[in-house]
Amino acid sequence: FAPGRERKAGIMAKRASTVEWYVTGSEVEALILESTLIKRFQPPYNVQLRTYPHYTFLRFTDPGNDGVPYLEMTKGIDPDGRAYFGPFWDRTSAEQTRDFVNRLFALRQCEGRLPTARDGQSCFHAQVHRCQAPCMSVRDLAPFHYGPSLAEATALLRGDAAQLIARLDAERDRASTALRFERASELHQMASAL
């Protein structure tokens, strides 16, 4: 520690007998590991990371009874074994990321229990092709392949965008060939945003 640092930093340096380090796959994993270790060992000089009161994270909800998770925002990290994505410095950037991922993969956006299909009507998000309508798949009214979308969304949130960009570029080319220029433009914008 440099001279003039806080008194407690000097005391902490004198008390340290060893230094350990861990290699993690991402900044989020490092933050989660640091939080876990701080909560386990309760170091007297590090109280800031015992919780994450100022950070927003994204996570997929527990699939529960309906088996269809959705992306939600949360403050802090719970030791529940789920993957957390972030941290985001403010709620707005977390919302923008969640909305972008939902739009890109047409993920479920209705919170809580999955609504049931009534009179063959899907929700608004499904009608504007922003949701795969898992509520309708129960009655075989729409094809439902949610797993691959979740896997791609998870890969994107972990920072692996190369395959997704290639897929979006291929879809853009097909849409352009089919003279669906608005869709081609939308796909181009999505790939550029990544």
Side-chain angles (χ1 to χ4, degrees), residues 6-117:
E6 297 179 25
R7 183 174 163 251
K8 67 180 178 181
I11 294 169
M12 186 171 54
K14 287 179 186 175
R15 288 186 179 179
S17 60
T18 62
V19 175
E20 294 180 26
W21 65 90
Y22 300 87
V23 178
T24 61
S26 69
E27 185 177 342
V28 174
E29 286 180 32
L31 196 57
I32 292 169
L33 176 62
E34 182 179 8
S35 174
T36 302
L37 293 173
I38 287 171
K39 288 174 184 171
R40 182 185 312 153
F41 295 111
Q42 296 291 316
Y45 300 111
N46 193 337
V47 295
Q48 195 170 21
L49 282 180
R50 289 185 188 164
T51 62
Y52 294 100
H54 303 293
Y55 295 108
T56 302
F57 291 86
L58 295 175
R59 71 176 176 196
F60 285 104
T61 59
D62 184 6
N65 295 335
D66 54 33
V68 186
Y70 60 91
L71 198 56
E72 70 177 352
M73 292 185 299
T74 181
K75 285 286 192 180
I77 297 173
D78 297 324
D80 55 11
R82 288 188 271 174
Y84 285 79
F85 310 102
F88 297 92
W89 292 106
D90 59 15
R91 185 175 177 86
T92 302
S93 59
E95 285 175 347
Q96 289 172 342
T97 302
R98 181 197 60 196
D99 293 346
F100 177 76
V101 170
N102 283 341
R103 181 173 172 222
L104 186 60
F105 297 105
L107 298 179
R108 170 185 172 189
Q109 297 177 48
C110 36
E111 298 179 359
R113 282 193 65 72
L114 192 64
T116 58

